[in-house]
Amino acid sequence: MILETVRSMILSSEKTQSVITHIAILAAFSLFLSTVEYMIPKPFPFMRIGLANLPVIIGLSIFTLPELLLLTVLKIVGQGLINGTIFSYIFLFSAGGSLASMVMMYSVYKLMGRFTSFIGISIAGAMTSNAIQLLLAQFILFGSSIWIIAPPFLLMGFITSIFLGIFANVFTRKSRWYADLSTRKKAQDTPLRKTSGTEGGRNSHAEK
Amino acid sequence: MTKIKSADVFIIIISVLLIIFLFIRTYSHPQDSSELLVRVDDESWRFTLEDDRILHIPGPLGETEIHIQDGEIFVEDSPCISKICVAAGKIKRPGQWIVCLPNHIFISIEGTVDSGNGEVDDIVF
């Protein structure tokens, strides 16, 4: 499915060419944030901040579901490479958590998008990701004793996701790059005004 | 856009309630009393150590007879050939276990191992 998405993107018009560029930018952003997170010392290995999820949150209003899926997969692989966990069981936790949280955030955004800001979306995603990781850890590795660390794990995710959500709110309000992208997406969504899209806002990249 | 909206509050409240519930459920257990945990494949049972009783636990080979006596646990009889579980003797402290591999039975005592009743296994200089 992802391969098909990629192929259709490469083969089709310049509109999707620009989409694939934006996915690449956000994926690279996610890779960078994984590196930053990797450098931050953590008291316990499971206490993660989830910085790398920020591009996925921001991508919610720009991309369609397959495009988001591609971004998430790129994020997972990038994170695995940076943390060196790509061929270990931790990679399974990361992949499961990321995919589930992306699906959760996407459904929250689609179903209740008008009533939520990115704070709520971010919290929902973090809780889903952590819950799925706990479940995977229970069935793959540790058994039911994993639930002893569940409360602080979820609490940590809750707190950091609030900050991520606030940041996403501020970012989406201030960034011209984002405003340009999201208005273009809206123009694509409404069938009345179909713009071919790649013209406007080339020079606003620098201002991000 | 930066203002918190209604569903945000809804999600926050649900998450906080969930976390509080988990905190209470996980940590408010009176952990000072230890329990006997018996596991056979995917099934498990818990018994208190307070009352003396005789348990017949069914495994693939047959019934294993486990005794709880004065807070101590031992396997009286087992249908397995090796009888290692019977030879394992009595256990009474949290963390100790007896296992009968042929009959798929795992017996352990669960509870907190506090430094008060914990013992040093060995000291090497």
Side-chain angles (χ1 to χ4, degrees):
Chain A
M1 180 185 177
I2 295 161
L3 281 179
E4 281 168 23
T5 315
V6 175
R7 191 182 301 144
S8 69
M9 279 174 180
I10 293 171
L11 291 182
S12 57
S13 65
E14 46 186 322
K15 185 188 82 188
T16 47
Q17 282 289 344
S18 88
V19 166
I20 207 166
T21 317
H22 298 313
I23 293 180
I25 290 173
L26 283 177
F29 188 32
S30 166
L31 208 68
F32 167 70
L33 288 175
S34 313
T35 320
V36 172
E37 174 156 348
Y38 183 66
M39 290 190 299
I40 298 173
K42 289 172 275 289
F44 300 104
F46 57 84
M47 297 261 170
R48 322 236 5 234
I49 305 172
L51 284 178
N53 290 308
L54 200 52
V56 181
I57 299 174
I58 290 169
L60 280 176
S61 53
I62 307 173
F63 301 130
T64 60
L65 188 57
E67 290 160 6
L68 269 177
L69 197 59
L70 177 64
L71 174 62
T72 313
V73 169
L74 286 174
K75 179 219 144 192
I76 295 167
V77 173
Q79 229 174 356
L81 282 174
I82 298 271
N83 294 331
T85 56
I86 192 162
F87 294 118
S88 73
Y89 55 83
I90 298 174
F91 184 70
L92 281 179
F93 301 166
S94 148
S98 297
L99 286 174
S101 89
M102 189 277 284
V103 170
M104 183 60 162
M105 292 195 291
Y106 185 76
S107 24
V108 170
Y109 180 76
K110 279 287 157 187
L111 295 176
M112 315 195 287
R114 271 187 298 163
F115 312 110
T116 53
S117 70
F118 283 106
I119 298 177
I121 292 172
S122 167
I123 294 171
M127 297 300 277
T128 314
S129 163
N130 288 0
I132 291 293
Q133 287 188 45
L134 283 169
L135 280 177
L136 285 175
Q138 180 188 352
F139 288 117
I140 296 175
L141 208 59
F142 296 108
S144 55
S145 51
I146 191 73
W147 290 98
I148 292 173
I149 66 156
F153 185 57
L154 287 171
L155 182 66
M156 189 76 184
F158 177 71
I159 294 170
T160 56
S161 66
I162 288 179
F163 286 108
L164 284 186
I166 292 172
F167 183 86
N169 272 350
V170 174
F171 179 83
T172 48
R173 193 166 46 100
K174 296 228 166 135
S175 164
R176 286 198 200 168
W177 177 77
Y178 174 82
D180 184 43
L181 280 180
S182 54
T183 48
R184 195 182 305 164
K185 172 81 189 321
K186 272 174 198 142
Q188 283 169 17
D189 286 347
T190 49
L192 289 177
R193 294 172 48 222
K194 259 193 181 161
T195 50
S196 61
T198 42
E199 298 304 328
R202 273 283 173 205
N203 48 6
S204 65
H205 281 241
E207 287 168 341
K208 192 198 77 140
Chain B
M1 206 54 186
T2 39
K3 286 233 173 95
I4 289 183
K5 297 188 190 169
S6 54
D8 285 342
V9 178
F10 178 67
I11 291 174
I12 289 175
I13 290 174
I14 285 193
S15 308
V16 167
L17 284 181
L18 183 78
I19 290 172
I20 290 175
F21 169 75
L22 272 176
F23 260 105
I24 292 172
R25 219 199 64 164
T26 313
Y27 297 127
S28 72
H29 259 291
Q31 296 251 326
D32 48 312
S33 62
S34 34
E35 277 182 326
L36 166 65
L37 175 71
V38 179
R39 270 161 67 177
V40 183
D41 294 326
D42 289 339
E43 289 179 283
S44 66
W45 299 272
R46 285 174 187 279
F47 303 96
T48 170
L49 296 182
E50 317 273 299
D51 315 320
D52 292 356
R53 61 186 292 190
I54 297 168
L55 310 168
H56 296 275
I57 306 295
L61 297 182
E63 284 191 345
T64 296
E65 192 180 323
I66 302 167
H67 286 227
I68 304 176
Q69 212 171 68
D70 307 325
E72 293 182 324
I73 295 153
F74 58 93
V75 178
E76 176 69 25
D77 190 30
S78 173
C80 57
I81 307 162
S82 54
K83 307 281 186 207
I84 291 176
C85 46
V86 182
K90 297 179 176 177
I91 58 173
K92 59 180 179 185
R93 278 191 299 275
Q96 289 185 307
W97 48 267
I98 302 172
V99 70
C100 181
L101 287 181
N103 210 15
H104 294 205
I105 288 182
F106 177 71
I107 304 156
S108 65
I109 302 181
E110 296 214 322
T112 44
V113 188
D114 56 346
S115 50
N117 61 16
E119 288 174 12
V120 179
D121 287 340
D122 232 331
I123 297 177
V124 176
F125 293 101

